[in-house]
Amino acid sequence: MLSERTFEVSDYSLSALCHESQGASNCILMLHGWLDNAASFTPLMEEISAKNPDIQLIALDLPGHGYSSHSHSGYYPFHDYIDSLHQVISQINNECDCPLTLVGHSMGALIASCYSAAFPENVGHLVQIEGYGPIYESPQNSLSRLRKGVLSRQRVSKKPPRFFESFDEMVQLRARRYVLNAEEITPLVERDSEQTEHGWHWRHDKKLKAESLYRMTEAQAKQVIEALPKSNLLILGDTGFTHLSSICTSTAQILHIKGGHHCHLSCPRSISEAIIALILFG
């Protein structure tokens, strides 16, 4: 049975789903993808906890997502996620003296990779699902990136809220987008929706849809990749971001499994077994 937990950090109150374990042998901290939330890891957490009850599991709602608070003053620069994550990990380390494994999906994988490279002393193992290292682009795109980012903020701020007639409509919309069935996607939609007098609407902050003002250069991204932990697993769905295997230049193990970009929702057992094997055998 998973429980709710809250982490108070500098700018946010961050919610999380947890499987607590007294005297835990290991701790696995999970970071979801863009516009997803902690519930995207529910099937994976249930698989792991059923066979490994001594492992503490925490799936975090990133700022602006799920039940976590929204930004009161601005948008969501990528590096701010790393700051918030560091504050959460510091709290976990004060409570639990056990090795930490970071598991990230998509955007969460990007965050996890950057954190692991910058704070290697805090991460024993790294698992990236459908994401590998930070996104980068040519420095020649800096001005166009800045312009597009600012203009996208204007568009997002002026866009009216969207309401749905029913919860089922939201489930079907997200299921089609993620190429999953309704049962697989429902927990994620439940954590990202609420009913109001005007109808159902998404809980996540609409400012998350604004484009980035900047991105790393290839040279900067390579520094991150070269500093990733030796115990490093990249998991790719066979209909997901398969191109990532061709740019993987670190010592990462690569696991190809059945599924798409959200393969951790459709194939949690295979992924849970791979994560446990990484923790036990490196």
Side-chain angles (χ1 to χ4, degrees), residues 20-216:
E20 301 287 353
S21 176
Q22 295 295 326
S25 62
N26 287 274
C27 178
I28 301 177
L29 177 59
M30 304 179 182
L31 308 175
H32 60 78
W34 180 65
L35 297 187
D36 288 348
N37 55 65
S40 69
F41 289 110
T42 299
L44 185 58
M45 296 174 78
E46 291 174 345
E47 287 285 346
I48 294 175
S49 62
K51 298 179 181 179
N52 304 272
D54 62 325
I55 296 179
Q56 182 178 9
L57 305 174
I58 303 172
L60 194 66
D61 281 335
L62 292 168
H65 297 77
Y67 292 159
S68 290
S69 61
H70 295 184
S71 174
H72 298 295
S73 58
Y75 289 78
Y76 298 88
F78 176 77
H79 292 106
D80 283 3
Y81 288 122
I82 300 171
D83 181 9
S84 296
L85 174 61
H86 183 62
Q87 295 178 64
V88 169
I89 290 177
S90 295
Q91 293 180 41
I92 293 172
N93 286 342
N94 287 334
E95 302 169 357
C96 178
D97 184 21
C98 61
L100 177 72
T101 298
L102 270 184
V103 176
H105 167 247
S106 195
M107 183 183 77
L110 277 55
I111 297 168
S113 67
C114 289
Y115 184 83
S116 298
F119 296 92
E121 69 275 15
N122 289 338
V123 181
H125 311 277
L126 172 65
V127 179
Q128 299 176 89
I129 305 172
E130 286 285 302
Y132 179 71
I135 296 176
Y136 61 85
E137 62 185 21
S138 169
Q140 294 179 341
N141 295 336
S142 297
L143 288 180
S144 60
R145 164 63 53 192
L146 180 60
R147 178 182 174 86
K148 286 193 297 185
V150 170
L151 292 178
S152 74
R153 291 185 174 191
Q154 301 304 307
R155 288 194 301 272
V156 167
S157 66
K158 295 175 182 177
K159 190 173 183 179
R162 181 180 182 183
F163 294 97
F164 298 84
E165 292 184 0
S166 68
F167 174 78
D168 287 342
E169 183 182 358
M170 302 175 81
V171 169
Q172 294 303 322
L173 175 65
R174 194 65 70 89
R176 289 193 299 271
R177 183 177 299 168
Y178 288 4
V179 196
L180 296 169
N181 62 47
E183 182 180 359
E184 291 169 334
I185 204 66
T186 292
L188 191 153
V189 177
E190 286 177 339
R191 199 171 181 86
D192 190 26
S193 61
E194 62 182 351
Q195 189 175 22
T196 71
E197 60 180 340
H198 302 293
W200 289 85
H201 77 109
W202 298 115
R203 186 185 293 273
H204 62 255
D205 192 345
K206 69 176 184 178
K207 294 195 295 293
L208 290 165
K209 294 188 175 182
E211 294 188 36
S212 299
L213 299 182
Y214 57 89
R215 288 220 172 114
M216 288 188 186

